[in-house]
Amino acid sequence: RKEVEQDPGPFNVPEGATVAFNCTYSNSASQSFFWYRQDCRKEPKLLMSVYSSGNEDGRFTAQLNRASQYISLLIRDSKLSDSATYLCVVNPQHGNKLVFGAGTILRVKS
Amino acid sequence: DVKVTQSSRYLVKRTGEKVFLECVQDMDHENMFWYRQDPGLGLRLIYFSYDVKMKEKGDIPEGYSVSREKKERFSLILESASTNQTSMYLCASSQQNTGELFFGEGSRLTVL
């Protein structure tokens, strides 16, 4: 079983739609969680951290469910510019070694 | 603007050649990483370093070595390139114990 699993998609949605991605992780002792965004032919960049209480940044909401070992990302009012690959990232233990999921592709169409 | 710079965007090498991939960061970060990214597999950690002259194996170190002689520079070495090392190689840096990695633009290596 992979340490971090994501539905690869692609998710094809119209502009203005709400879309949600889930990600599951295998190590119950994992300490911290993140969503990264990677545009086509570009490097990944941090989108947001995921906190136990859930957190929101504009149209983006991240949630953590420790009991079920999954993380979610909700995007409201999708824009064309949201088209990208979204990477779920987990830090399995205290330290610096992050584990990346393979990514979920989002395509927002007009 | 903070920056991680990788020396080559595209390389084509032959099987058996020695390959050097260079990475430089200007943020005075302690940690530096080398990943490879392949379709369907995501980013996989090859090696990382949390200090000068320190290195630790990641998940797929076989066939690779690294060097960190200065804080800002982390090199990935393929002693004898093989076709299964054709991939996108991404260098990253971070401060200690943070989840924010800063990536370079990547080096796409093709081994023929």
Side-chain angles (χ1 to χ4, degrees), chain B residues 96-109:
Chain B
Q96 288 285 8
N97 296 322
T98 70
E100 185 164 17
L101 298 183
F102 292 86
F103 285 88
E105 291 184 308
S107 299
R108 183 165 293 282
L109 171 66

Side-chain angles (χ1 to χ4, degrees), chain A residues 19-25 32-35 47-57 59-76 88-90:
Chain A
V19 61
F21 312 133
N22 284 338
C23 160
T24 59
Y25 60 95
S32 48
F33 310 87
F34 311 90
W35 284 101
L47 177 65
M48 58 197 303
S49 301
V50 186
Y51 303 121
S52 297
S53 54
N55 50 302
E56 192 173 304
D57 183 2
R59 297 181 293 108
F60 297 82
T61 300
Q63 298 266 346
L64 167 63
N65 184 318
R66 283 193 184 271
S68 301
Q69 293 179 215
Y70 78 80
I71 308 144
S72 64
L73 178 68
L74 181 78
I75 306 174
R76 289 180 300 277
C88 175
V89 183
V90 174

Side-chain angles (χ1 to χ4, degrees), chain B:
Chain B
D1 197 17
V2 295
K3 207 161 175 67
V4 177
T5 304
Q6 293 184 228
S7 54
S8 306
R9 292 295 306 276
Y10 301 95
L11 302 97
V12 179
K13 298 291 182 180
R14 296 204 175 276
T15 302
E17 281 193 80
K18 191 169 186 175
V19 182
F20 291 90
L21 298 178
E22 302 280 341
C23 175
V24 177
Q25 51 99 358
D26 65 1
M27 295 166 278
D28 200 36
H29 284 165
E30 294 86 1
N31 303 323
M32 295 189 75
F33 307 82
W34 275 105
Y35 289 87
R36 63 178 282 177
Q37 186 173 29
D38 301 287
L41 298 177
L43 278 82
R44 292 179 293 165
L45 182 63
I46 304 171
Y47 268 98
F48 67 103
S49 168
Y50 51 87
D51 202 352
V52 176
K53 297 193 187 294
M54 305 299 287
K55 61 184 179 184
E56 286 201 27
K57 292 180 180 179
D59 300 313
I60 51 163
E62 297 79 18
Y64 303 95
S65 62
V66 290
S67 172
R68 192 160 180 207
E69 296 296 319
K70 294 184 178 181
K71 190 175 185 180
E72 67 271 18
R73 188 179 297 270
F74 192 36
S75 303
L76 180 70
I77 302 142
L78 288 67
E79 292 289 340
S80 177
S82 62
T83 54
N84 63 12
Q85 292 178 311
T86 291
S87 186
M88 171 67 82
Y89 289 88
L90 288 159
C91 175
S93 71
S94 74
Q95 290 182 320
Q96 288 285 8
N97 296 322
T98 70
E100 185 164 17
L101 298 183
F102 292 86
F103 285 88
E105 291 184 308
S107 299
R108 183 165 293 282
L109 171 66
T110 301
V111 183
L112 302 175

